[in-house]
Amino acid sequence: MLRAEFLRFLQTLNTVGIPNEVRKIANLVLANLDAIEPLGTNQGQRVKRVVALAQTNWDSLSSEIQPLPEQNTELVSSISRLKSLSVGPFRGFSRQEDFDLDARLVLIYGPNGTGKSSFCEALEYKLLGSVAEAESKRFRNQNEYFKNAHVNDFTMPEVIGVGDQGQEVSIESNEALYRFCFVEKNRIDNFSRIAALAPSRQTELISTLFGLDLFNDFVRNFTAEIDSKYIDLTGIKAAQLKDKRLTLSGANQQLEANNAELQKLVSEEQTLATQYREGITFQQMIIEIKGDEQNNGIIQKLEAELQTPIGNKSSLTYIALQEVSGLIISNLTELNTKQQQLAAVSQQVSFKNLYNAIVQLQPDSPEHCPACHTQLTQTQINPYTHANEELVKLEFLATLQESMSQLEQKIIQLMQTVSQIISTCCHCLPQRNILESYLTPSGGTLWNALQQQLQDGSTPWQHLESQVKLLEESDKKIDETAQIREAKQIALGKLRELDRKIIVLQTRRNTAQQVIESAQQLINSFYTKNMQLIADVALEDAIVRKNCLISGSYSRFVATLNAYKERLPQQLVANLGDNVVTLYNAFNRNDLPREKLSTIKLPLIQNQRLEVSFQNNPEQYFDALHVLSEGHVRCIGLAILLAKNINERCPLLIFDDPVNAIDDDHRESIRRTLFEDVFFAEKQIILACHGEEFFKDIHNLLPAQVAAQSRSFSFLPRLDESHIRVDFNCSPRNYIIAARGHFERNEIREALAKSRQSLESLMKTKVWRYVNRYGDGNLSLKLRSYTSPIELRNLSEQIKKQINKADFSDPNKNEVFSPIDALLGLNGDSREWRYLNKGTHEENDRAEFDRATVSTMISALENLDQAIAG
């Protein structure tokens, strides 16, 4: 199964997009499958083996995927059934045994350990080319598994089939064609344990159900990738060189960074030059601003110009001088006027002074006259009161005197200003300045002196005015020069800022060039010292490239293989849903609608669960593991396998004890599904079981005619011999056939015993069910006591009565009614019927049974069996 499934996987690699190297890895694994499969991930056993094989054989590996050897599951089988099997030596068979399988139904019975599995494995090996049990036990050479231990020999089993035209056909192994013909108990058991697994593992149960658990294990044991622990992906010498190159990492980084810095500087330099003046280069700008050996730059020129002093301003203006002159003249005029006014009232001024003196004496002599010391109470006029009253009258004199005092102060201040102007003129115009003689006088004296006429006919004031005008003009020139100087200073500041930026850029360039030169020297020295190692790395590179190709191809191969494994469940159960539901409901045909399935969702991807809905509410889904018993889960597993067998149109259905994995409640319905329903009517069924009751029930479920045409083998318990013991002519388990055989051998008592069993089986199962289908299955039975069994005659009479009713709906009811009527036509009190009712204990000297009556009974039972089967 493992090899076959891996071969099917290989076919998926023949698609566009799959590199040839991945196909090489796949062919490598296929060629060494037996050696690789037992190895797991522990200590990297498998990946180490793959690496060793790949490195040794890589150049000779083929990238062509060979097609499957005529294995196409879509082809319809060219056989209709198996005819014979010759087996031995093989497993438990120490010598050859020949089995006649030429029947639609082949039944094999035998207790555990009698050799049934050897029989089934012989069919499996011949049809499929391998045996799953041998693979699971990890026999690298399966021939060792097939050898009989006692004769130490093994012969390939021979299977002959019957073709579509009835011709004999030699069966060749074809796993793809026959893989779904086999249904095994262990797979159903594993499926029933689905509840114990995590949801992430439940999808694998679908693969397990189809015998692919070994393939799943095989895929899981591939590590995801081949890392440097198992294969050299970098090169030893390359690693050494890489380690040494680490010493160059700083130099390379510096080289790269500073080359980038130089490129950046070119842009920044040109940007700075453009900011200075459009169309000029950086170097031209430097020469123009800073100069060179022949010429001074603009900065030097401006600095020289700005170092020349521009002189001090006098800050004198003719207008200001005229304002001062006007103020002086007006104040002098006003002062003169007030002096004249004061002179006119000079006597009043004396009285004012007198009155002030009296008022000032009042604090010293408040009670006496200040002049005569007379008591004030004795004077005609109080001198103090009279003085205050007269001072009030003379208050305008105080105001006049105050005003004259203020005018004098203003004149003094104005003359000080004139003196300062004279001083400024003398300072600014020092050479033989006529005004130097007027630096000392002040006040009115200075003013009068300035108005005096000089020998040249002018006055000093006129000289002062002339010099102020001259200095005012000089100040204007100084202002103009200052403005020009300020503009030059601003321009110089800008040029100095440009110069600073130029210096920064030049410094950065010099630094970058120095770093580049130093780094390049270090790199050149490295390559000189490691020239041989670099040459060795170049030679090693081819091996490393191949190793990297192997590693990458392996990772892609493993990923593709895992993806294939994950898709397998979905592929295996595609289009099975309806058939699974139909078969499951057939297995549970006696359940209520709320217990029968409407839909089933199988877990196809990770973390999905097995979900079902029921007929009473098809839209509501349940977790099957929560709502179904283990027996029902087993039924689902069996239904999936059988549905796959139907969908694949397999000609065979081979059971290795699987039905015994089903609980007792479902066995009858499963037998009916297999042998009564139409699902498998055209298939050959080969069934091996270890339960004698199950073996017997199958025989009696079948019509006697069909059972007679089947093949039955009984595997017997081993005695002392090493060979499997087979009873090729085992006694029939079908009661009617057994009854007829005993009758023909004149074993009347035994014939009657089998007839009783046959009648009980027919009436309680087939006929009663038939009545229930076409009429009223509710019978009224009389029992002798609560412990008494149902008497078959009473049961038969009740069934006959129901069939004979006019409303019984089966138009062919007479075919069933007549045999029952014939049976009941016999005397119910006869010893034969008493035997049929309850059997007979062992008695001595008992009268003989009537042969003719027993013959009539057997014939009636045969007719009834045939009628109910039709």
Side-chain angles (χ1 to χ4, degrees):
M1 295 293 286
L2 169 59
R3 181 176 292 274
E5 197 59 50
F6 188 73
L7 286 170
R8 277 189 286 274
F9 158 71
L10 293 185
Q11 306 310 304
T12 66
L13 301 181
N14 278 327
T15 57
V16 177
I18 300 296
N20 288 335
E21 292 76 17
V22 175
R23 299 189 186 99
K24 277 190 172 187
I25 293 290
N27 283 328
L28 174 73
V29 174
L30 177 64
N32 299 275
L33 190 63
D34 292 338
I36 292 174
E37 187 272 331
L39 304 177
T41 57
N42 185 31
Q43 296 182 348
Q45 293 178 350
R46 179 176 291 187
V47 72
K48 287 178 181 177
R49 178 63 64 88
V50 171
V51 167
L53 291 170
Q55 288 179 320
T56 303
N57 303 289
W58 187 254
D59 295 332
S60 61
L61 284 172
S62 172
S63 61
E64 181 180 353
I65 301 297
Q66 296 298 321
L68 294 174
E70 302 299 323
Q71 295 187 0
N72 190 338
T73 57
E74 295 181 359
L75 295 176
V76 177
S77 172
S78 60
I79 66 168
S80 59
R81 65 181 183 276
L82 304 183
K83 185 175 183 180
S84 64
L85 166 67
S86 295
V87 56
F90 183 91
R91 298 284 287 143
F93 294 97
S94 61
R95 59 179 181 270
Q96 181 174 320
E97 294 286 1
D98 298 318
F99 291 85
D100 179 8
L101 308 178
D102 194 11
R104 191 186 77 82
L105 176 61
V106 178
L107 298 174
I108 299 170
Y109 158 69
N112 291 331
T114 55
K116 301 189 303 302
S117 294
S118 294
F119 172 86
C120 293
E121 286 177 348
L123 289 178
E124 183 179 358
Y125 183 52
K126 183 59 182 176
L127 293 178
L128 305 184
S130 63
V131 173
E133 186 68 15
E135 290 185 350
S136 66
K137 292 181 178 178
R138 303 195 181 280
F139 276 81
R140 295 189 182 183
N141 183 356
Q142 289 200 5
N143 290 349
E144 294 297 323
Y145 177 79
F146 300 137
K147 279 184 180 180
N148 179 269
H150 298 281
V151 300
N152 195 30
D153 196 10
F154 148 70
T155 300
M156 172 70 76
E158 291 294 328
V159 177
I160 303 298
V162 177
D164 293 336
Q165 306 301 321
Q167 76 279 16
E168 289 190 357
V169 177
S170 179
I171 302 296
E172 299 295 333
S173 300
N174 192 325
E175 193 268 350
L177 189 61
Y178 299 118
R179 62 188 295 211
F180 300 114
C181 293
F182 291 85
V183 179
E184 297 180 3
K185 173 181 179 294
N186 290 340
R187 297 180 186 176
I188 298 174
D189 286 340
N190 291 337
F191 184 83
S192 69
R193 298 191 194 94
I194 192 170
L197 297 178
S200 60
R201 294 287 307 277
Q202 289 185 13
T203 52
E204 297 182 12
L205 265 295
I206 299 297
S207 298
T208 299
L209 192 62
F210 289 99
L212 296 174
D213 48 348
L214 192 62
F215 177 75
N216 286 342
D217 291 339
F218 171 70
V219 175
R220 277 195 296 269
N221 279 325
F222 279 104
T223 54
E225 59 184 16
I226 303 176
D227 58 29
S228 56
K229 290 188 298 185
Y230 307 111
I231 193 169
D232 186 3
L233 299 176
T234 56
I236 296 175
K237 292 188 178 298
Q240 294 174 359
L241 183 59
K242 182 179 179 181
D243 290 340
K244 290 189 175 184
R245 283 186 187 276
L246 291 177
T247 61
L248 291 182
S249 61
N252 287 322
Q253 290 176 3
Q254 289 178 348
L255 202 61
E256 181 179 355
N258 284 280
N259 279 323
E261 172 74 356
L262 289 179
Q263 293 296 323
K264 183 179 179 182
L265 282 171
V266 170
S267 175
E268 292 183 16
E269 288 169 351
Q270 188 56 49
T271 300
L272 187 62
T274 303
Q275 290 175 0
Y276 174 68
R277 187 172 68 247
E278 193 72 34
I280 194 172
T281 65
F282 183 68
Q283 290 302 322
Q284 290 172 338
M285 179 186 70
I286 292 174
I287 293 173
E288 185 172 313
I289 291 175
K290 304 180 71 170
D292 54 17
E293 294 178 357
Q294 289 78 25
N295 301 298
N296 291 332
I298 297 175
I299 291 177
Q300 291 174 314
K301 292 178 181 180
L302 286 176
E303 286 177 342
E305 291 175 2
L306 291 173
Q307 287 175 359
T308 302
I310 62 174
N312 297 320
K313 289 175 62 177
S314 65
S315 299
L316 300 178
T317 64
Y318 180 73
I319 293 175
L321 181 63
Q322 291 299 315
E323 288 178 355
V324 172
S325 173
L327 290 172
I328 292 173
I329 292 172
S330 62
N331 285 326
L332 285 174
T333 301
E334 185 178 357
L335 177 62
N336 187 46
T337 301
K338 291 185 180 298
Q339 285 176 343
Q340 291 176 1
Q341 291 176 355
L342 183 61
V345 290
S346 58
Q347 186 177 1
Q348 293 178 342
V349 171
S350 298
F351 281 111
K352 176 178 177 294
N353 293 332
L354 175 62
Y355 294 146
N356 281 329
I358 293 171
V359 170
Q360 291 175 358
L361 291 173
Q362 185 176 7
D364 297 329
S365 182
E367 302 297 332
H368 298 86
C369 173
C372 63
H373 298 284
T374 303
Q375 287 285 338
L376 292 180
T377 55
Q378 297 176 4
T379 62
Q380 292 181 350
I381 299 172
N382 187 325
Y384 297 120
T385 303
H386 178 73
N388 283 322
E389 291 173 353
E390 289 302 319
L391 282 174
V392 171
K393 294 177 182 180
L394 296 176
E395 187 174 354
F396 77 94
L397 289 177
T399 300
L400 180 61
Q401 290 174 334
E402 179 66 24
S403 176
M404 289 174 62
S405 176
Q406 290 176 355
L407 286 172
E408 289 173 352
Q409 289 298 320
K410 286 182 181 179
I411 291 169
I412 292 171
Q413 290 174 357
L414 288 171
M415 291 311 297
Q416 287 176 349
T417 300
V418 171
S419 180
Q420 290 174 356
I421 293 173
I422 293 171
S423 176
T424 301
C425 290
C426 291
H427 177 73
C428 295
L429 301 171
Q431 293 182 356
R432 292 184 295 179
N433 194 325
I434 194 172
L435 296 178
E436 288 182 356
S437 303
Y438 301 94
L439 289 174
T440 304
S442 62
T445 303
L446 176 61
W447 174 254
N448 291 331
L450 291 174
Q451 305 303 320
Q452 297 298 319
Q453 188 173 12
L454 300 175
Q455 292 179 358
D456 59 0
S458 63
T459 64
W461 183 260
Q462 290 175 335
H463 283 280
L464 179 61
E465 287 179 341
S466 176
Q467 289 184 22
V468 167
K469 288 179 181 180
L470 181 63
L471 292 175
E472 184 178 8
E473 289 299 322
S474 178
D475 284 353
K476 289 180 180 179
K477 291 179 180 179
I478 290 173
D479 286 340
E480 291 174 359
T481 303
Q483 290 177 356
I484 295 171
R485 189 184 187 92
E486 184 178 358
K488 289 182 178 180
Q489 191 69 48
I490 292 173
L492 179 61
K494 292 180 179 179
L495 290 172
R496 284 174 175 169
E497 179 62 21
L498 279 175
D499 183 41
R500 186 190 65 78
K501 291 180 178 179
I502 290 170
I503 293 172
V504 170
L505 292 176
Q506 289 177 327
T507 303
R508 284 170 59 189
R509 177 174 289 277
N510 292 335
T511 302
Q513 289 173 340
Q514 290 173 4
V515 172
I516 289 172
E517 182 179 352
S518 176
Q520 193 61 57
Q521 289 176 355
L522 182 62
I523 291 171
N524 293 340
S525 174
F526 174 85
Y527 283 106
T528 301
K529 292 179 181 178
N530 295 282
M531 185 179 300
Q532 183 60 47
L533 180 59
I534 293 171
D536 293 342
V537 170
L539 295 175
E540 186 184 55
D541 183 60
I543 298 173
V544 173
R545 284 202 308 272
K546 182 171 77 173
N547 288 347
C548 290
L549 187 60
I550 291 171
S551 176
S553 303
Y554 171 86
S555 299
R556 179 76 177 271
F557 162 77
V558 173
T560 307
L561 181 60
N562 274 282
Y564 175 83
K565 177 180 75 72
E566 296 302 324
R567 292 194 303 269
L568 265 182
Q570 187 171 3
Q571 294 174 355
L572 290 170
V573 299
N575 303 319
L576 294 187
D578 292 342
N579 278 347
V580 171
V581 170
T582 301
L583 289 169
Y584 176 88
N585 289 339
F587 297 161
N588 297 273
R589 63 188 66 204
N590 297 321
D591 289 353
L592 298 173
R594 61 183 175 83
E595 298 173 318
K596 292 183 179 180
L597 298 187
S598 171
T599 313
I600 185 169
K601 291 182 180 179
L602 299 171
L604 303 180
I605 61 176
Q606 193 172 17
N607 295 322
Q608 274 191 342
R609 290 187 176 274
L610 180 64
E611 295 183 323
V612 295
S613 67
F614 297 98
Q615 291 180 356
N616 65 323
N617 189 1
E619 302 301 322
Q620 184 177 6
Y621 285 88
F622 298 90
D623 186 338
L625 306 179
H626 287 174
V627 299
L628 298 181
S629 66
E630 183 177 348
H632 286 89
V633 173
R634 289 172 181 266
C635 287
I636 288 179
L638 179 60
I640 293 172
L641 292 174
L642 296 182
K644 188 66 175 178
N645 181 276
I646 293 171
N647 276 29
E648 297 294 327
R649 294 181 289 175
C650 298
L652 312 172
L653 185 56
I654 302 174
F655 288 92
D656 184 7
D657 226 7
V659 181
N660 282 344
I662 307 300
D663 56 76
D664 295 339
D665 294 338
H666 294 93
R667 288 184 182 177
E668 180 185 358
S669 294
I670 291 175
R671 286 194 296 269
R672 290 179 61 189
T673 302
L674 293 174
F675 304 117
E676 281 188 0
D677 296 341
V678 298
F679 302 112
F680 308 99
E682 302 300 322
K683 295 180 186 290
Q684 182 184 31
I685 299 177
I686 301 174
L687 187 147
C689 67
H690 71 266
E692 184 177 12
E693 289 301 309
F694 185 77
F695 186 65
K696 176 264 296 181
D697 290 340
I698 292 176
H699 278 84
N700 287 285
L701 176 67
L702 301 171
Q705 184 177 0
V706 175
Q709 295 172 354
S710 66
R711 296 288 183 270
S712 297
F713 304 100
S714 180
F715 282 67
L716 305 176
R718 297 189 183 188
L719 300 178
D720 293 333
E721 60 180 318
S722 59
H723 184 65
I724 293 174
R725 297 174 61 226
V726 183
D727 183 358
F728 291 93
N729 297 300
C730 59
S731 59
R733 298 307 200 266
N734 183 279
Y735 297 135
I736 294 176
I737 295 175
R740 175 60 68 185
H742 285 302
F743 182 82
E744 291 176 355
R745 292 192 297 273
N746 205 34
E747 297 169 350
I748 306 301
R749 181 183 177 87
E750 297 299 323
L752 192 57
K754 294 299 180 183
S755 296
R756 178 185 181 279
Q757 292 175 315
S758 174
L759 179 60
E760 185 174 19
S761 175
L762 284 171
M763 287 300 180
K764 289 184 177 181
T765 56
K766 297 181 180 180
V767 180
W768 200 342
R769 190 164 60 241
Y770 162 79
V771 170
N772 194 57
R773 184 164 65 249
Y774 292 104
D776 185 3
N778 296 315
L779 306 182
S780 178
L781 302 174
K782 295 180 180 180
L783 302 177
R784 297 181 182 274
S785 69
Y786 70 93
T787 59
S788 299
I790 298 174
E791 291 187 350
L792 285 177
R793 186 168 184 99
N794 185 12
L795 175 61
S796 300
E797 287 173 345
Q798 291 296 319
I799 288 176
K800 174 186 173 183
K801 179 180 178 181
Q802 295 298 104
I803 296 174
N804 198 37
K805 286 183 178 181
D807 59 352
F808 196 79
S809 62
D810 183 15
N812 300 315
K813 67 179 183 178
N814 287 333
E815 294 180 6
V816 177
F817 179 82
S818 296
I820 296 175
D821 187 51
L823 274 172
L824 295 176
L826 299 173
N827 185 359
D829 291 328
S830 66
R831 62 175 61 92
E832 291 78 15
W833 254 110
R834 287 198 301 274
Y835 192 94
L836 290 183
N837 272 331
K838 61 180 180 179
T840 303
H841 298 287
E842 182 61 32
E843 297 178 0
N844 294 326
D845 301 325
R846 183 182 179 85
E848 297 294 329
F849 293 107
D850 182 61
R851 179 180 174 85
T853 301
V854 174
S855 177
T856 301
M857 287 180 170
I858 294 174
S859 296
L861 290 171
E862 290 174 335
N863 292 334
L864 178 60
D865 179 68
Q866 186 173 357
I868 205 71

